[in-house]
Amino acid sequence: MASAPRSGTPSFTFSEHWFLMAATVLVCGFLGYVVYDAVMATASELLQRLLVISPLLLVIAVHWLSSGSQLSIPIPGSEPGAIHRAGGSPWGVAFLLLTLFFLISYQPSLNGLIF
């Protein structure tokens, strides 16, 4: 006696199973790529900002570690005789790094003005 297929459950053939699996993999792959692309674009922007600021953060960290355990950032020129002492503060290096950052960031605009 042959049993008749049930009317409540769908019966797919072997090729229909492969088609559904392939379509599911393609849709999941496309959605995964879209999400990956968005995440990587955001991470790239954040890392770019971190790389631009990292020299300044490094200068501040070295100054903080070399000054001892106290957290104090001296203002240039606040001490008497600070002008006559060379190399006492990393503010000159920080200013140079900020100037270089400005010049690199606006290089196309500055080239148009100069040349």
Side-chain angles (χ1 to χ4, degrees):
M1 221 185 214
S3 64
R6 297 182 206 168
S7 61
T9 60
S11 62
F12 294 113
T13 62
F14 182 72
S15 61
E16 289 173 339
H17 278 278
W18 277 105
F19 177 73
L20 287 174
M21 287 182 57
T24 304
V25 167
L26 285 175
V27 168
C28 288
F30 177 73
L31 290 175
Y33 173 74
V34 169
V35 169
Y36 172 79
D37 190 37
V39 167
M40 289 306 290
T42 304
S44 172
E45 290 175 10
L46 291 174
L47 284 176
Q48 183 179 9
R49 290 178 185 164
L50 179 67
L51 286 175
V52 167
I53 296 174
S54 64
L56 183 60
L57 294 176
L58 184 64
V59 167
I60 291 172
V62 167
H63 175 71
W64 179 65
L65 290 173
S66 66
S67 68
S69 63
Q70 58 186 0
L71 180 62
S72 65
I73 298 177
I75 299 173
S78 63
E79 303 169 358
I83 291 177
H84 304 292
R85 190 181 66 207
S89 173
W91 288 105
V93 176
F95 179 72
L96 178 68
L97 288 174
L98 286 174
T99 305
L100 287 175
F101 169 68
F102 174 77
L103 291 174
I104 290 170
S105 297
Y106 295 102
Q107 180 185 7
S109 301
L110 294 173
N111 278 342
L113 292 174
I114 295 173
F115 298 110

